[in-house]
Amino acid sequence: MGKIRILDEHIANQIAAGEVVERPSSVIKELVENSIDAGSTKIDVTVEEGGLQLIRVADNGSGMDADDCRAAFFRHATSKIASGKDLFRIRSLGFRGEALPSIAAVSKVECVTSAQADGLGSKIVIEGGTVKSFEETAAARGTDIRVKELFYNTPARLKYMKTVQTELGHISDYMYRLALAHPQVAFTLRHNGNLLLQTLGNGDRLQVIAAIYGSSVAKGMIRVSGENPDYTVSGYVSRPELTRANRSAVSVIVNGRYIRSHALAHALLNAYHTLLPINRFPIVVLHIGMDAALVDVNVHPSKLEVRFSKEAELVRFVEQTVREALQSEVLIPAAGKSAGAKTAVVQERIDFYRTDRNDAPLPPQQRMFTQAETEPREPWRPDEANQRNGNGSSSSHSPSVGGTYPVNGDKHRRRTEAASPQIMREIAPAADGENIPQAPAFPELHPIGQMHGTYILAQNEEGLFLIDQHAAHERINYEYYYEQFGNPAQASQELLIPITLEFTPAEAELLKERLHLFELAGVYMEHFGGGAFIVRSYPHWLPRGEEKSVIEEMADWIITEKKAVDLAKLREKSAILCSCKASIKANDKLSMAEIEALLHKLRACRNPYTCPHGRPIVVSFSTYELEKMFKRVM
Ligand code: ADP
Ligand code: MG
């Protein structure tokens, strides 16, 4: 006799439960998804003790008639697909027909349901997979399912349950995603009698965002919308000052299903590019619509992961749509708003680059502005780099304004034309080589003065603006260097005395293989035996006095970067490196003319709102806010 036998339905359900019902939140997910599939407009979820005592989901959907009420608890019983063909065009959230039997196998279930408006329905009671009773009962149209004592008959699974708070965390997290995915449904979630979530079901996505993340977050969101023949993308993304320490507030919803997609999450972060501080993540609710044939949802029992048939195109489209939305906004955070209070300032990284040599004269290219040589007390020198290249003001690639500025008097005439935005617009790069529209509408600001040698104060009709001068200068320089690194070849200069760099033998081995990357960045370097390399030439526009350290840090990065190093990343990395080294630091006194020039250049930047590390550059106080503060208006 053979040893193989077909398992009975009871055991098969318990096995399936192991996969489908991992913890209380999985039960919630399955039941609520069923309610949504049934066309409900109101879904009330009640939970006790993290869902281990009770999970109740009551909806006003289609309900089930007596036959379906029984059949629903059989394995592979579903009303959602009829044939194999349907598998490739799934529009409902469920289709596998295993949730109800799996849940019923590991708990005590009571289901009251009615498909009519006549007040009559059915009630079925199942314990550990065995039907205990089935009867006619009074019921409103819709379905009301109670799941009690989850895992009561599977002690091994029960042992794995964490604290009530942890399980509740999973439950509310999933409820949030469902509510975000279905703003047309009015949800409530109650735990041990406390109302934890309530949405209106009026289709307003921002209302759901406000119900979950609070109204100040909802106010800080930017609308996203885009469409191409294959996809529609719509939703909300947070302004860059509104961030979280992890990705948990990123929700991607495909055809009404919350999914996890590494590729799409990555696309979103790419869209923000340098707008986000390091290790901070945005709040995103993105709905993606597509033909059901373009997405395979049958790759994972909980259907959280899906497979896209044209993933690369989708990723590109999402990134582009979100980036355009971000760039079409004026991204100045309002001062003192609670939304901004959660902004993380990653100061360590900035400090790392600070040299704090306030009294030493800085190399000219570390200066954005040039200063008349005759000016006393100011440590700045004329821009030698420009003189070396001939006429400074005709060099549109120069980071310097190329004019001379008076400190306070009328001894010199100002030459504002050299700092005109047009010129700067030319040198402002596309963030990653694509043709990206300029961020519009950075306001024209009139300088008031400088505070603590660190912040620039400026105004316009709208209000008061505070600008972090170091961050602003870093941004201007970053865009300049990014552009330069994109086209370094003709800009290299031979060195009379080559620079020598030393590395460990292991590092040298790695570096030898990646020397071509340096060449693409305009740095010509040769292996000199052992751990030594010599630099024969480098771009003349590297920050002066910092050339060696820039090249060294580029090499360090190339050596330590585990993943494939590509030119785009090297370009960005190097541009950040140079911009840090070349920027004015805090505690630098600026003249009015210098402040004006800085604002001018900032305005011409592609992204004038954050420094390359994602810190904000500008904060504002609106005139109205100020009037409120001083009780001039009520
Ligand atoms: P699936 O959702 O994959 O079809 P389930 O086991 O979750 O499988 O549900 C089985 C069937 O029971 C569904 O196909 C549906 O017809 C019915 N059903 C379940 N929950 C509800 C509900 N809340 N309202 C109406 N019908 C429901
Ligand atoms: Mg289902």
Side-chain angles (χ1 to χ4, degrees):
M1 253 219 1
K3 290 183 232 160
I4 297 175
R5 71 183 91 168
I6 307 280
L7 294 177
D8 72 31
E9 166 129 355
H10 192 76
I11 301 177
N13 284 337
Q14 279 205 327
I15 292 171
E19 233 177 16
V20 180
V21 193
E22 195 194 338
R23 58 192 341 147
S25 63
S26 353
V27 174
I28 304 251
K29 171 187 184 294
E30 294 297 337
L31 296 183
V32 174
E33 286 189 349
N34 280 346
S35 297
I36 293 168
D37 281 345
S40 312
T41 56
K42 189 171 175 342
I43 301 173
D44 296 307
V45 178
T46 312
V47 178
E48 271 163 35
E49 300 304 319
L52 290 168
Q53 271 312 310
L54 171 77
I55 292 169
R56 177 181 180 185
V57 176
D59 69 47
N60 65 351
S62 65
M64 290 175 268
D65 65 18
D67 287 346
D68 280 354
C69 176
R70 251 176 181 287
F73 289 90
F74 283 112
R75 197 161 157 70
H76 302 311
T78 179
S79 58
K80 297 168 192 174
I81 53 174
S83 74
K85 266 208 319 262
D86 295 343
L87 257 189
F88 304 105
R89 303 195 57 84
I90 286 166
R91 297 189 174 283
S92 52
L93 295 171
F95 59 87
R96 297 168 63 107
E98 41 184 23
L100 291 186
S102 302
I103 294 167
V106 293
S107 67
K108 302 176 178 173
V109 170
E110 201 179 297
C111 170
V112 175
T113 183
S114 166
Q116 289 124 254
D118 62 2
L120 276 186
S122 333
K123 175 174 170 181
I124 189 167
V125 178
I126 304 174
E127 281 182 18
T130 311
V131 178
K132 293 284 172 187
S133 71
F134 181 71
E135 62 198 17
E136 199 172 80
T137 183
R141 186 173 175 273
T143 303
D144 184 348
I145 297 189
R146 286 166 220 236
V147 175
K148 294 179 202 163
E149 296 177 51
L150 184 64
F151 301 134
Y152 81 100
N153 56 349
T154 52
R157 183 52 68 98
L158 193 60
K159 235 177 64 188
Y160 275 102
M161 292 305 113
K162 301 269 168 23
T163 61
V164 166
Q165 277 314 315
T166 306
E167 296 308 326
L168 181 62
H170 289 291
I171 290 170
S172 46
D173 186 62
Y174 212 85
M175 282 300 290
Y176 294 163
R177 315 288 184 177
L178 287 161
L180 289 166
H182 300 278
Q184 78 287 0
V185 177
F187 287 97
T188 60
L189 169 65
R190 285 187 171 77
H191 182 252
N192 292 352
N194 301 319
L195 181 66
L196 301 182
L197 173 70
Q198 179 160 36
T199 67
L200 300 179
N202 60 4
D204 181 354
R205 291 174 185 170
L206 264 190
Q207 189 272 321
V208 183
I209 290 173
I212 293 167
Y213 299 113
S215 56
S216 59
V217 166
K219 282 192 198 117
M221 299 297 274
I222 297 168
R223 239 187 93 88
V224 172
S225 126
E227 197 175 330
N228 75 9
D230 285 329
Y231 309 108
T232 59
V233 170
S234 65
Y236 291 90
V237 300
S238 60
R239 286 165 165 267
E241 76 268 17
L242 207 63
T243 59
R244 292 286 185 266
N246 57 45
R247 286 162 208 261
S248 64
V250 173
S251 300
V252 176
I253 295 141
V254 173
N255 291 351
R257 182 191 308 277
Y258 162 68
I259 59 143
R260 293 194 198 125
S261 160
H262 187 72
L264 288 175
H266 195 70
L268 287 166
L269 293 183
N270 271 350
Y272 276 84
H273 197 61
T274 55
L275 289 171
L276 291 172
I278 296 154
N279 291 331
R280 300 293 296 183
F281 300 89
I283 300 162
V284 174
V285 180
L286 205 66
H287 291 252
I288 303 172
M290 67 185 75
D291 190 302
L294 288 179
V295 52
D296 184 0
V297 293
N298 191 23
V299 286
H300 195 263
S302 68
K303 296 160 243 140
L304 275 174
E305 272 140 48
V306 299
R307 204 174 284 133
F308 300 108
S309 49
K310 302 198 241 174
E311 183 171 87
E313 280 158 54
L314 175 61
V315 161
R316 219 173 305 128
F317 185 58
V318 164
E319 185 176 329
Q320 177 197 336
T321 309
V322 172
R323 181 181 293 146
E324 277 167 14
L326 285 168
Q327 286 179 338
S328 68
E329 285 282 321
V330 179
L331 299 173
I332 300 176
K337 282 274 166 65
S338 59
K342 285 192 176 150
T343 305
V345 176
V346 187
Q347 193 60 53
E348 317 83 63
R349 282 294 284 269
I350 309 293
D351 285 341
F352 173 72
Y353 290 109
R354 285 204 167 161
T355 49
D356 285 328
R357 301 164 305 172
N358 287 330
D359 40 9
L362 295 165
Q365 275 190 325
Q366 294 195 22
R367 287 295 181 192
M368 255 216 353
F369 324 103
T370 54
Q371 183 82 29
E373 219 170 350
T374 50
E375 224 27 83
R377 276 189 338 106
E378 289 285 330
W380 300 1
R381 293 187 275 137
D383 192 331
E384 288 170 12
N386 278 345
Q387 287 171 356
R388 206 170 52 209
N389 299 338
N391 183 346
S393 58
S394 73
S395 162
S396 65
H397 286 292
S398 167
S400 301
V401 171
T404 37
Y405 292 89
V407 171
N408 264 326
D410 46 11
K411 276 193 288 180
H412 308 272
R413 286 216 61 76
R414 253 170 62 188
R415 286 165 50 191
T416 40
E417 69 277 10
S420 86
Q422 279 68 32
I423 291 172
M424 296 309 295
R425 252 165 241 263
E426 270 171 35
I427 73 161
D432 61 359
E434 281 175 47
N435 225 351
I436 298 155
Q438 170 91 26
F442 186 81
E444 194 163 344
L445 302 178
H446 311 292
I448 300 169
Q450 194 195 20
M451 183 194 153
H452 292 174
T454 303
Y455 303 105
I456 291 167
L457 278 72
Q459 62 180 329
N460 67 12
E461 323 68 64
E462 323 254 288
L464 172 70
F465 296 77
L466 282 171
I467 294 126
D468 180 328
Q469 67 189 43
H470 174 68
H473 198 191
E474 246 183 8
R475 163 55 62 180
I476 294 164
N477 279 332
Y478 168 73
E479 295 201 357
Y480 165 76
Y481 285 112
Y482 189 89
E483 171 78 359
Q484 299 293 56
F485 275 108
N487 196 10
Q490 65 273 55
S492 263
Q493 66 180 28
E494 285 281 330
L495 299 178
L496 288 177
I497 306 158
I499 297 175
T500 315
L501 302 175
E502 286 283 345
F503 298 92
T504 68
E507 288 170 346
E509 278 312 298
L510 252 170
L511 205 56
K512 270 197 294 193
E513 280 165 30
R514 296 179 170 180
L515 277 183
H516 63 283
L517 276 168
F518 270 106
E519 274 172 38
L520 293 172
V523 176
Y524 293 87
M525 193 153 92
E526 287 164 18
H527 187 217
F528 201 59
F533 288 78
I534 52 172
V535 179
R536 297 243 175 245
S537 71
Y538 57 72
H540 66 74
W541 38 258
L542 287 188
R544 296 199 67 211
E546 301 281 355
E547 296 90 342
K548 185 174 176 183
S549 71
V550 165
I551 296 169
E552 238 160 15
E553 284 186 43
M554 281 166 74
D556 280 348
W557 181 76
I558 287 179
I559 289 165
T560 46
E561 187 69 8
K562 301 257 172 348
K563 289 175 239 141
V565 182
D566 64 45
L567 182 62
K569 267 196 262 169
L570 178 66
R571 181 179 176 190
E572 184 182 336
K573 192 81 196 167
S574 311
I576 293 180
L577 215 69
C578 289
S579 69
C580 287
K581 293 192 184 293
S583 297
I584 46 172
K585 308 293 183 260
N587 279 322
D588 263 352
K589 210 173 164 327
L590 299 180
S591 71
M592 278 307 237
E594 288 162 351
I595 291 173
E596 243 169 59
L598 183 95
L599 293 179
H600 228 66
K601 288 201 167 195
L602 184 62
R603 245 192 121 208
C605 280
R606 228 155 236 288
N607 165 19
Y609 306 108
T610 55
C611 81
H613 308 88
R615 293 192 308 143
I617 291 173
V618 194
V619 298
S620 68
F621 297 84
S622 76
T623 308
Y624 178 71
E625 268 171 321
L626 290 171
E627 284 175 347
K628 268 207 327 213
M629 279 185 217
F630 290 104
K631 308 266 185 259
R632 286 165 163 264
V633 292
M634 294 318 253

